[in-house]
Amino acid sequence: MSANEEELERQMVIKVIGIGGKGAKAVGKMIHCVQNVEFFVMTEELDAIHYLSSCGEKRPLRFVAGESVVGTDSAHGIAVEDSFVEVVRDTDLVFVVTGMEDSAVADMSVDCVRTARDADAFTIAVTADMWNREREVSRLPYEVDSFLCISLNSLMPVDDNTPQILSEPALADHLVRHAVGRIVQCVTERSFICLDFADTKVILGDGDSTYMGIGIADGPAKGKDAASRAVQGILRQGMDIRLSDGVLAIVEGSTNMTMDDFDEAASVFNDMLPEETNVVFGCYFDDVFGGNVKVTVFSSYSSGKMQ
């Protein structure tokens, strides 16, 4: 990548917008750990508004005005924006995090993604399967550049006897936060093997819907095992990764992760995917992983390949 391209990457404008009570709460939970983005919410659910007031102490969080102004809280850095149009103007990448829990939230979500796309922002809708009503969420895939519905089955446990520590709602919020964070990481962070915005757009925009799988492993074959578990996370959602239009695989580990660990993880995908499948890899280091390797895979499908 040239110096000019790197400068453009650093200047990317990324915004995350939470719609409705569930989407707004999920955004509130990610503001302390997802960097290099601006956060907005649109909700009239009083419980969500009360929760978001405390989140504003960590980083600025702004409300988008709907038909009625939600309110302001200058003590917590919360302000009301004029409209979706103002929020998404001159923005490169927009995440719309939505529960699609009822027709009103669905209408707001569709309005938001249409406005973002009209503003030429690459638009990703993120929801969780336990949040939404199937009839409402079916409106989203054809409105966005990439539709990502997070399943509780995305995270493959180390073994079947591993207890689930988080409640299902907390796990859904965690997985949504992880999905947004990994995609942002791909387009904003430099590392030994890294991706750029063009790579990410090609993969996530290849199909109508994208599925996420996560695998974590340690031990002598941790790269291979983590990648295999990530693939199983896709399979548990009823999808065959071999039929995907594009695959984005992110390998993470501490600074003692070796190239052999990365190569073993990459080989899992290279060995099983057809030659024509568009696959790209990223590799990032963080000593929080200790002796573990984590692999996150995003697999996109066109409607003709959906099972």
Side-chain angles (χ1 to χ4, degrees):
M1 180 180 291
S2 69
N4 287 339
E5 288 174 324
E6 289 184 356
E7 184 64 23
L8 286 173
E9 290 292 326
R10 286 194 292 272
Q11 294 177 356
M12 274 194 62
V13 178
I14 305 174
K15 295 179 180 178
V16 180
I17 306 172
I19 310 290
K22 292 181 172 63
K25 285 181 179 178
V27 167
K29 292 176 181 179
M30 70 175 68
I31 63 175
H32 70 286
C33 58
V34 180
Q35 305 299 316
N36 304 313
V37 303
E38 297 177 65
F39 294 98
F40 302 83
V41 294
M42 181 176 184
T43 181
E44 296 185 1
E45 185 181 299
L46 293 178
D47 183 49
I49 293 170
H50 176 74
Y51 171 77
L52 293 167
S53 294
S54 63
C55 296
E57 295 175 346
K58 302 169 187 173
R59 283 176 63 189
L61 178 68
R62 285 170 280 182
F63 280 101
V64 182
E67 293 182 358
S68 61
V69 174
V70 176
T72 61
D73 186 348
S74 58
H76 295 106
I78 294 174
V80 175
E81 299 295 319
D82 292 334
S83 65
F84 285 138
V85 175
E86 294 297 322
V87 169
V88 300
R89 179 176 291 138
D90 300 322
T91 301
D92 300 294
L93 174 59
V94 172
F95 292 90
V96 178
V97 181
T98 174
M100 299 293 283
E101 56 263 43
D102 55 45
S103 58
V105 173
D107 288 343
M108 288 189 294
S109 302
V110 170
D111 285 346
C112 183
V113 298
R114 285 176 176 170
T115 302
R117 292 192 75 185
D118 287 345
D120 293 325
F122 188 79
T123 306
I124 302 174
V126 186
T127 189
D129 57 4
M130 72 167 296
W131 286 351
N132 51 61
R133 291 161 52 183
E134 186 174 344
R135 181 176 64 84
E136 300 296 352
V137 80
S138 65
R139 300 169 57 183
L140 272 182
Y142 306 105
E143 298 284 354
V144 293
D145 295 301
S146 179
F147 173 68
L148 180 56
C149 186
I150 302 298
S151 169
L152 297 182
N153 289 323
S154 298
L155 177 61
M156 192 67 192
V158 175
D159 60 63
D160 293 335
N161 297 319
T162 303
Q164 182 173 304
I165 299 173
L166 298 175
S167 67
E168 289 192 348
L171 179 59
D173 287 342
H174 171 78
L175 292 172
V176 166
R177 182 167 69 246
H178 181 79
V180 173
R182 295 294 76 74
I183 295 171
V184 170
Q185 179 184 48
C186 287
V187 301
T188 61
E189 292 186 19
R190 306 289 79 175
S191 189
F192 178 65
I193 299 175
C194 52
L195 305 167
D196 59 22
F197 190 31
D199 292 325
T200 307
K201 286 198 297 184
V202 167
I203 297 298
L204 297 182
D206 263 352
D208 302 316
S209 295
T210 300
Y211 292 75
M212 179 179 73
I214 305 170
I216 304 171
D218 61 7
K222 55 190 175 184
K224 179 180 179 180
D225 291 343
S228 297
R229 287 171 183 158
V231 171
Q232 289 177 53
I234 299 291
L235 182 62
R236 293 205 307 170
Q237 298 170 68
M239 304 306 298
D240 186 345
I241 197 170
R242 295 170 297 181
L243 300 178
S244 64
D245 293 279
V247 170
L248 185 158
I250 304 164
V251 182
E252 298 176 274
S254 66
T255 49
N256 62 18
M257 179 174 66
T258 67
M259 277 306 299
D260 286 341
D261 295 326
F262 174 82
D263 289 341
E264 287 179 358
S267 69
V268 170
F269 300 100
N270 290 329
D271 291 346
M272 74 168 48
L273 294 173
E275 197 171 304
E276 64 272 17
T277 303
N278 192 3
V279 55
V280 295
F281 297 97
C283 182
Y284 300 90
F285 297 98
D286 189 333
D287 283 332
V288 72
F289 289 105
N292 298 302
V293 167
K294 175 188 276 188
V295 175
T296 302
V297 59
F298 295 95
S299 181
S300 62
Y301 299 83
S302 57
S303 56
K305 293 185 177 180
M306 302 281 283
Q307 291 184 338

